[in-house]
Amino acid sequence: MQSFDICGLGAALVDTEIAVSDADLQKWGIGKGVMTLVDEQRRRTLLDTLSEQLVTSHSACGGSAANTIIAANHFGSNFFCSCKTVADA
């Protein structure tokens, strides 16, 4: 039986990283260097505004469970992670 140092349970999230200016962040009321949660309407508004920049965007795994597991792995932990995905509305 395989043993693990850590087990992560969480949502399977994907972060979309888009380069924007400090002026854009200020205009949209988004703090620099902090996580800002948004509802579905705000998400759609931001994506519509940034649609031309999506071509050069980057995707990365996200969510606290996955981020914690990745960090633990870098320190040598043997891990298991289970996540749930939800289809986009």
Side-chain angles (χ1 to χ4, degrees):
M1 183 169 148
Q2 191 170 6
S3 65
F4 300 100
D5 300 315
I6 186 170
C7 176
L9 301 173
L13 302 176
V14 176
D15 294 337
T16 302
E17 301 170 357
I18 304 169
V20 297
S21 69
D22 289 348
D24 286 336
L25 292 177
Q26 188 174 21
K27 177 174 61 176
W28 301 323
I30 298 173
K32 185 174 182 175
V34 297
M35 181 178 75
T36 303
L37 295 176
V38 296
D39 61 19
E40 182 61 25
Q41 181 178 356
R42 174 81 168 169
R43 176 185 160 294
R44 289 182 192 273
T45 300
L46 288 170
L47 287 176
D48 287 345
T49 302
L50 297 166
S51 63
E52 291 183 16
Q53 291 166 273
L54 287 176
V55 175
T56 59
S57 67
H58 298 279
S59 297
C61 64
S64 57
N67 292 341
T68 301
I69 291 296
I70 290 167
N73 177 252
H74 285 292
F75 287 109
S77 292
N78 186 25
F79 68 91
F80 175 83
C81 187
S82 179
C83 298
K84 179 180 179 179
T85 60
V86 178
D88 196 13

